[in-house]
Amino acid sequence: DTAVSQTPKYLVTQMGNDKSIKCEQNLGHDTMYWYKQDSKKFLKIMFSYNNKELIINETVPNRFSPKSPDKAHLNLHINSLELGDSAVYFCASSQDGTGGIDTQYFGPGTRLTVL
Amino acid sequence: GQQVMQIPQYQHVQEGEDFTTYCNSSTTLSNIQWYKQRPGGHPVFLIQLVKSGEVKKQKRLTFQFGEAKKNSSLHITATQTTDVGTYFCAGPKNGGTSYGKLTFGQGTILTVHP
């Protein structure tokens, strides 16, 4: 079974559309994250949730809205997509996220292309 | 704010050559983690170093944590084509007090020519 899964794997859409990416982890972890990886492979954290509570919001435009219905799921909704949103988005989870000690387990990624 | 700098950005080697990537933090780190991302894949945890001066080995990979806990290195001996990918170091934001947040280095993209 996949530990951290994301859907869809690929997402191609027009500028101005609204889209969602879903993430689920079956590791029993308390903390989940969204990262954005640009074309130069730079990994930047966007959000972190611990037990459904928002912990980190890294100056991400408010067009991005994470939602955590339970601690095993963290979805990302993006409104009014822009060309600059094109990237690979990774979901990740860790045991409890305290102090950055925990190993992070990444999902397979969602490649978003905005045309 | 805290920065984690990683060099080189790219490294091309012939199969059998050694490879090293370096990671430097602007602040002291409580620990440092290393991840590998294969082309088209996702980052996968390799190892975590916690102690000052710590050295850990995984087969052909040797990881070091500096005495001041502000730098780290990953050395691969006799690279193989299976080593291709991007290697990231990551340290906890603000030295370890920020909840779950890792600051990733820019990554080193390794290509190995057979």
Side-chain angles (χ1 to χ4, degrees):
Chain A
D1 283 342
T2 305
V4 182
S5 58
Q6 288 177 236
T7 55
K9 190 167 174 61
Y10 300 97
L11 188 51
V12 181
T13 189
Q14 298 286 333
M15 242 182 355
N17 284 350
D18 303 339
K19 290 292 178 187
S20 292
I21 308 172
K22 295 188 175 183
C23 179
E24 177 182 1
Q25 55 95 2
N26 63 7
L27 298 167
H29 288 168
D30 288 340
T31 305
M32 296 184 73
Y33 313 81
W34 278 110
Y35 286 87
K36 179 180 179 181
Q37 186 173 49
D38 61 25
S39 57
K40 294 185 178 178
K41 301 291 186 185
F42 185 61
L43 264 174
K44 184 169 166 55
I45 191 165
M46 299 172 70
F47 300 102
S48 169
Y49 269 72
N50 178 265
N51 274 316
K52 304 190 296 177
E53 298 295 324
L54 179 66
I55 299 297
I56 294 168
N57 180 341
E58 276 295 292
T59 354
V60 178
N62 57 16
R63 298 183 295 104
F64 291 79
S65 51
K67 281 198 171 61
S68 183
D70 54 62
K71 76 172 193 177
H73 296 84
L74 180 61
N75 303 322
L76 184 64
H77 187 77
I78 315 170
N79 288 326
S80 302
L81 278 155
E82 300 177 358
L83 293 176
D85 298 331
S86 295
V88 180
Y89 291 84
F90 286 102
C91 176
S93 72
S94 66
Q95 184 68 47
D96 65 20
T98 306
I101 297 288
D102 292 331
T103 300
Q104 297 199 1
Y105 293 81
F106 285 79
T110 296
R111 182 174 293 277
L112 171 65
T113 304
V114 182
L115 303 174
Chain B
Q2 179 202 46
Q3 288 190 329
V4 176
M5 307 298 293
Q6 198 174 343
I7 55 169
Q9 188 176 357
Y10 301 95
Q11 186 75 59
H12 311 281
V13 298
Q14 288 293 130
E15 192 171 19
E17 291 181 341
D18 292 355
F19 158 76
T20 305
T21 174
Y22 300 91
C23 186
N24 291 289
S25 169
S26 55
T27 59
T28 301
L29 300 169
S30 60
N31 71 92
I32 195 156
Q33 301 179 24
W34 284 91
Y35 291 78
K36 176 184 178 181
Q37 182 178 15
R38 293 181 187 274
H42 59 277
V44 175
F45 173 78
L46 292 177
I47 209 159
Q48 178 177 276
L49 304 171
V50 179
K51 298 176 185 173
S52 168
E54 188 170 14
V55 177
K56 286 189 176 179
K57 292 193 176 187
Q58 288 179 352
K59 297 182 181 177
R60 295 176 296 103
L61 277 61
T62 302
F63 303 84
Q64 291 190 330
F65 201 9
E67 294 289 341
K69 301 182 78 171
K70 293 178 74 173
N71 57 74
S72 181
S73 64
L74 157 58
H75 179 82
I76 303 179
T77 304
T79 53
Q80 300 175 358
T81 54
T82 52
D83 294 326
V84 298
T86 304
Y87 292 84
F88 294 97
C89 61
K93 179 77 172 176
N94 297 331
T97 56
S98 281
Y99 208 96
K101 182 176 174 181
L102 285 178
T103 300
F104 280 81
Q106 301 96 317
T108 295
I109 299 172
L110 172 66
T111 54
V112 179
H113 301 286

